[in-house]
Amino acid sequence: MSLNHVRPWRNIYRRKSRQIMVGSVPVGGDAPISVQTMTNTLTTDVAGTVAQVQAAAEAGADIVRVSVPDEASAKALKEIVRESPVPIVADIHFHYRRGIEAAEAGAACLRINPGNIGDEIRVREVIAAARDHGCSMRIGVNAGSLERHLLEKYGEPCPEAMVESGLEHIRILQDNDFHEFKISVKASDVFLAAAAYQGIADATDAPIHLGITEAGGLMSGTIKSAIGLGNLLWMGIGDTIRVSLSADPVEEVRVGYEILKSLGLRHRGVNIISCPSCARQGFDVIKTVEALEERLAHIKTPMSLSIIGCVVNGPGEALMTDVGFTGGGAGNGMVYLAGKQSHRMSNDQMVDHIVEQVEKKAAELEAVAAAEATAA
């Protein structure tokens, strides 16, 4: 829950959901909203897939999903799970036996699409395998693959059909005394997805996996996801998220974190507050921010940095950030530390100097956190 007693208009009251485990990662309840992505390598390319999983984990992914389309992929999954630094979700479509094999291979969670996995008997076999091997499950309802009887009943994919599909499959799991599951009701249409998620949130206490499916490329998909996921998260709906982009999985993780950071729901790395630049700027803001984003990507400690081109808004923004730089004149600007004016710095040395200040502040914050953890 994101609560701010000084600024109550920032408060987000998360929907109450029960908690499950995806490997070592808690999902739901009062656990932090986890960030997921999915590999796009061939699963049979174990080295390539593991490298992609590790890159996603380094970027902050809590959970990574891997497709298991065939028996060879299920065999490769065992080694991928063994080498992965984060829990692996096995993505299962059409072939229920892949779900059984993935559970046996050590997957932390099985993602099944009930609309294409087969009849209840096959779903029950997958449930049994999940139970036997300590897997959780995700019911993945998708507007593009709804069951025929629901399409005949409603005429087209709609929120009511998606919620009904989800509840039907929740019933199957619960009838088999299986409760370690989360659910998603994804659509590529932001309005449809948002309405379906609101409906399922009201109908069950299961943890919810948020996503706008097939959102698009890096820019368009980021915008659609930010609108859809951002509004749902603001309403308190969502326990784990995946931003679906036609882009590198690392970009999905970065976008996911930025969405959560913008709402105060997760904090990781440097949050750069910067102006769009204009004729008043005392230095090249755009190139400076690009350089700092690259140079500070390794910082995982949550902290804030303001980079403002002139004194119109610069001093005010700097008051609320850990480190700040405001453009001035004569080729130099003002450095702010902990919201206070500290010293002037030349524009041609500012990037190196700001990186140094941010790294120093990060080390201080990490030392404080370590001391508090030891004291506790």
Side-chain angles (χ1 to χ4, degrees):
M1 184 177 295
S2 173
L3 292 179
N4 189 307
H5 300 294
V6 177
R7 302 177 181 89
W9 34 269
R10 288 184 176 179
N11 291 348
I12 292 177
Y13 299 93
R14 284 180 63 187
R15 160 185 170 271
K16 294 186 183 301
S17 63
R18 53 190 174 76
Q19 188 173 102
I20 68 168
M21 297 298 294
V22 176
S24 59
V25 176
V27 175
D30 59 356
I33 297 170
S34 52
V35 176
Q36 303 190 28
T37 187
M38 185 174 181
T39 58
N40 56 29
T41 52
L42 287 174
T43 304
T44 49
D45 175 9
V46 173
T49 302
V50 168
Q52 203 168 70
V53 170
Q54 291 173 335
E58 180 64 25
D62 302 294
I63 300 165
V64 175
R65 180 156 45 113
V66 174
S67 181
V68 186
D70 49 40
E71 189 174 357
S73 295
K75 290 179 179 178
L77 187 68
K78 188 172 185 177
E79 187 173 348
I80 293 167
V81 167
R82 185 166 56 246
E83 296 187 38
S84 173
V86 295
I88 295 294
V89 176
D91 193 63
I92 309 298
H93 289 280
F94 302 112
H95 301 290
Y96 78 103
R97 289 209 57 81
R98 301 293 86 83
I100 297 171
E101 293 161 359
E104 294 171 347
C109 180
L110 305 178
R111 187 273 192 184
I112 64 169
N113 185 329
N116 64 33
I117 199 69
D119 57 28
E120 286 193 22
I121 294 174
R122 290 182 171 181
V123 174
R124 287 193 183 103
E125 291 189 44
V126 178
I127 292 170
R131 179 184 291 110
D132 291 345
H133 295 278
C135 293
S136 56
M137 294 180 67
R138 169 160 74 96
I139 298 170
V141 176
N142 195 298
S145 56
L146 285 172
E147 296 88 330
R148 184 183 300 275
H149 74 277
L150 291 174
L151 290 175
E152 291 174 351
K153 176 179 178 179
Y154 291 98
E156 65 175 359
C158 64
E160 294 80 8
M162 295 173 69
V163 171
E164 188 169 331
S165 175
L167 294 179
E168 285 179 359
H169 291 90
I170 283 177
R171 177 186 55 78
I172 295 172
L173 268 59
Q174 292 180 331
D175 285 351
N176 285 271
D177 197 28
F178 190 89
H179 306 281
E180 290 292 303
F181 64 86
K182 50 196 169 91
I183 187 167
S184 63
V185 283
K186 294 185 178 183
S188 58
D189 181 282
V190 173
F191 295 96
L192 176 54
Y197 272 115
Q198 291 175 66
I200 204 70
D202 289 338
T204 178
D205 69 347
I208 287 179
H209 171 115
L210 286 187
I212 304 298
T213 195
E214 287 101 33
L218 181 56
M219 178 173 287
S220 61
T222 292
I223 292 170
K224 286 175 67 176
S225 297
I227 292 170
L229 274 60
N231 275 287
L232 289 163
L233 290 164
W234 202 335
M235 289 189 286
I237 297 172
D239 301 290
T240 184
I241 68 170
R242 188 257 174 125
V243 176
S244 298
L245 302 175
S246 299
D248 189 314
V250 166
E251 297 295 344
E252 294 189 349
V253 178
R254 289 173 177 162
V255 172
Y257 261 101
E258 289 302 321
I259 291 171
L260 293 175
K261 283 162 64 176
S262 70
L263 294 169
L265 291 168
R266 284 290 293 271
H267 302 281
R268 185 183 192 275
V270 183
N271 181 27
I272 299 180
I273 297 163
S274 60
C275 67
S277 81
C278 70
R280 295 191 306 269
Q281 65 182 353
F283 59 95
D284 192 326
V285 173
I286 293 174
K287 288 184 178 179
T288 299
V289 171
E290 288 176 351
L292 288 171
E293 285 180 334
E294 182 177 349
R295 296 275 301 273
L296 297 175
H298 66 289
I299 301 290
K300 298 179 176 62
T301 305
M303 58 183 300
S304 54
L305 167 66
S306 58
I307 302 295
I308 310 297
C310 76
V311 296
V312 174
N313 293 321
E317 293 291 353
L319 290 175
M320 298 180 283
T321 55
D322 294 303
V323 178
F325 186 86
T326 296
N332 61 68
M334 179 62 68
V335 176
Y336 291 75
L337 300 177
K340 297 180 180 179
Q341 285 190 6
S342 177
H343 55 277
R344 301 195 72 82
M345 175 55 56
S346 64
N347 293 347
D348 59 357
Q349 296 179 337
M350 62 177 291
V351 171
D352 288 341
H353 187 67
I354 290 170
V355 169
E356 179 184 335
Q357 295 301 317
V358 169
E359 290 177 336
K360 180 180 178 181
K361 182 63 177 180
E364 292 174 359
L365 293 172
E366 289 168 8
V368 171
E372 291 176 348
T374 302

